[in-house]
Amino acid sequence: MAKYLLLKHYRGAPEAANCVPMEQWTQEEISAHMKYMHDFAARLEETGEFVDGQALAPEGTWVRYDGEGRPPVTDGPFAETKDLIAGWMVIDVDTYERAVELAGELSAAPGAGGKPIHEWLELRPFLAEQPTITE
């Protein structure tokens, strides 16, 4: 099994086919979208392929270590940034092809007008443990 991270973007990804910002959706459209996401995760829980997932708020802060005994440095939030992550899901699947299949299915979540969003999702494999080099 291999773990993959599916990233949903507020913006920064290529434009979706049904590209109406969520803040312009009706409450019913938002509820239908959230139900699709919940049902998708529940089905993957049954197959053992779901690990975790969360929606994220658009706000955020950058944090950096600033030296021994000093408080961390913060900057932001950067709501104007071109790339904002809307949420994520971790899946654990047998093959890359299965990960692509699931990402494609998740991309069909309904949006404005109840039509599939056809959004682009970023699929990232977890870094596998590197082999130990011995000489």
Side-chain angles (χ1 to χ4, degrees):
M1 300 284 279
K3 288 188 177 123
Y4 289 87
L5 177 65
L6 300 172
L7 289 171
K8 293 175 65 68
H9 293 261
Y10 282 116
R11 54 183 185 263
E15 191 169 297
N18 184 5
C19 190
V20 177
M22 189 179 262
E23 60 264 12
Q24 295 176 17
W25 297 3
T26 66
Q27 187 57 50
E28 292 79 20
E29 291 166 341
I30 293 170
S31 294
H33 180 81
M34 299 308 290
K35 181 178 181 341
Y36 183 97
M37 300 294 293
H38 174 75
D39 291 349
F40 181 82
R43 186 170 50 83
L44 295 185
E45 282 179 342
E46 290 176 11
T47 63
E49 295 173 307
F50 180 81
V51 176
D52 198 3
Q54 294 291 322
L56 300 173
E59 304 84 27
T61 303
W62 289 94
V63 179
R64 181 191 80 204
Y65 173 75
D66 199 37
E68 189 65 38
R70 299 179 68 178
V73 176
T74 61
D75 200 359
F78 299 104
E80 72 280 359
T81 187
K82 72 175 187 106
D83 190 18
L84 291 172
I85 304 298
W88 54 270
M89 181 179 289
V90 176
I91 57 174
D92 195 358
V93 294
D94 288 330
T95 64
Y96 170 78
E97 290 76 19
R98 177 65 174 154
V100 169
E101 176 186 344
L102 292 174
E105 187 177 332
L106 189 57
S107 170
K115 297 177 183 164
I117 299 172
H118 297 282
E119 69 181 323
W120 289 92
L121 297 173
E122 186 176 352
L123 177 64
R124 304 268 309 264
F126 278 39
L127 185 61
E129 186 175 330
Q130 299 297 314
T132 303
I133 299 174
T134 58
E135 294 187 28

